[in-house]
Amino acid sequence: FFGGSGKGLVGSEAAARRIIGLSGKASPSVLYVGTPTYDLAVSRDQQCAGLVQLGCPVKELKVAHETPGQAEIKSLIEDADVIVVSGGNTLWAVDRWKNLGIPPLFAQAMDRGVVLAGGSAGAICWFDGGHSDSMDPHTYFATPFLFTGESGDNAGDRTSWDYIRVPGLSFLPGLICPHHDRRQSNGILRSEDFNGMLQRHPGEQGICIDHFAALVVEGDRYEVFHIDEPGSVKEDGSFSSSGEGRPGVWVKNFSSEGVQLGPALDKGSLSELLKRPSEVKEDPRLEVGRRENPQPSAEAEK
């Protein structure tokens, strides 16, 4: 369940019902992984609200401020029917997981049929990469004000910053653009900025997910899920940049004619939808982002 937003969508009761349905159980065991929001309790409560309301037991894997033993990490992941990853800072979270050897455990969970879920960073992380706000200073470990409610998401709240392409775990191919129909605090519409990213990364296919939509995958089938909120798909199927339609999911590719926006998705074959990249280029600004928002030192973890 790959959503365009975390607390806005994944935390809703409607999304929770769909996630539970994917598990095949009435009350699946949920493992919440809040690394992208540095294990803040407020983010956990927001993004698991619907699942808790529907009676699902929720455990947490906390690795932002501490380093559990490998046996504990493995046990938590093996006990889960559903893994929910929060929205937040994708770059920091994926680096942290790789440093701790967690991705192979996530891969094993996927192989045994555990539901992988999340919105924003929690969607990007499962794919090759994504269009990310991981260089927004208010998503940094030392200044997580966007997640604590100490800053809003309106232009002018903080200094300008750029979206960057961040790497994911590559469980599925694709370059994900969450919040595709939204502007964030830098004032830039993500759908427009993503066009520029695809020009810089033309070997990858873009999967564009509106704020209140999700790409739901079950086996080799996919369908688009959305809740009753504004989005980018107008009644005639055309794209709206001003929320004049329903939430949806789009595909974008770059060609000699520029960025091509495909028709809004509905449902179909996943293998026919997703394309392996012909080339993956690392964003040259990644190291700047890592320096500005560093991983915890060994001393800090003690």
Side-chain angles (χ1 to χ4, degrees), residues 3 84 144 178 220 222 233-234:
V84 175
D220 188 48
Y222 76 84
V233 185
K234 298 173 73 172

Side-chain angles (χ1 to χ4, degrees), residues 69-262:
Q70 196 70 10
E72 180 181 350
I73 295 173
K74 184 178 180 181
S75 176
L76 284 168
I77 294 174
E78 287 183 345
D79 288 346
D81 300 311
V82 174
I83 296 174
V84 175
V85 174
S86 72
N89 193 298
T90 317
L91 177 61
W92 195 94
V94 171
D95 282 351
R96 181 66 171 153
W97 296 336
K98 289 179 178 178
N99 290 342
L100 297 177
I102 293 175
L105 299 176
F106 283 159
Q108 291 168 17
M110 179 182 69
D111 289 344
R112 66 174 181 270
V114 171
V115 177
L116 307 181
S120 193
I124 291 173
C125 66
W126 308 114
F127 288 78
D128 286 330
H131 183 265
S132 173
D133 60 0
S134 289
M135 286 188 72
D136 174 353
H138 281 200
T139 71
Y140 287 0
F141 185 90
T143 53
F145 304 138
L146 182 60
F147 314 135
T148 61
E150 296 175 57
S151 74
D153 204 24
N154 299 312
D157 275 353
R158 45 204 184 274
T159 56
S160 62
W161 49 272
D162 294 326
Y163 296 110
I164 59 170
R165 183 206 180 278
V166 297
L169 300 177
S170 294
F171 291 178
L172 291 169
L175 190 62
I176 301 299
C177 180
H179 313 283
H180 180 247
D181 56 334
R182 290 300 182 93
R183 297 179 190 271
Q184 291 185 246
S185 65
N186 59 7
I188 301 171
L189 184 65
R190 290 188 75 145
S191 62
E192 293 177 357
D193 193 84
F194 191 49
N195 291 344
M197 181 173 287
L198 287 172
Q199 292 178 42
R200 298 189 298 274
H201 301 271
E204 298 186 81
Q205 176 175 262
I207 304 295
C208 315
I209 308 175
D210 283 353
H211 189 79
F212 289 112
L215 181 68
V216 179
V217 173
E218 195 164 8
D220 188 48
R221 303 297 298 174
Y222 76 84
E223 66 178 35
V224 173
F225 170 92
H226 68 87
I227 58 176
D228 189 18
E229 295 286 349
S232 67
V233 185
K234 298 173 73 172
E235 284 191 19
D236 64 1
S238 62
F239 176 77
S240 168
S241 63
S242 55
E244 297 174 351
R246 60 171 173 79
V249 179
W250 306 80
V251 173
K252 285 182 178 178
N253 287 283
F254 183 76
S255 71
S256 59
E257 299 178 354
V259 175
Q260 305 297 313
L261 177 68

Side-chain angles (χ1 to χ4, degrees), residues 1-47:
F1 185 97
F2 309 121
S5 60
K7 65 180 180 181
L9 176 75
V10 175
S12 70
E13 183 177 335
R17 290 189 185 281
R18 189 68 185 91
I19 292 169
I20 291 170
L22 289 170
S23 77
K25 297 185 177 182
S27 298
S29 297
V30 176
L31 179 64
Y32 173 74
V33 183
T35 320
T37 49
Y38 313 113
D39 297 329
L40 287 168
V42 63
S43 295
R44 176 202 63 214
D45 294 344
Q46 290 168 339
Q47 301 192 39

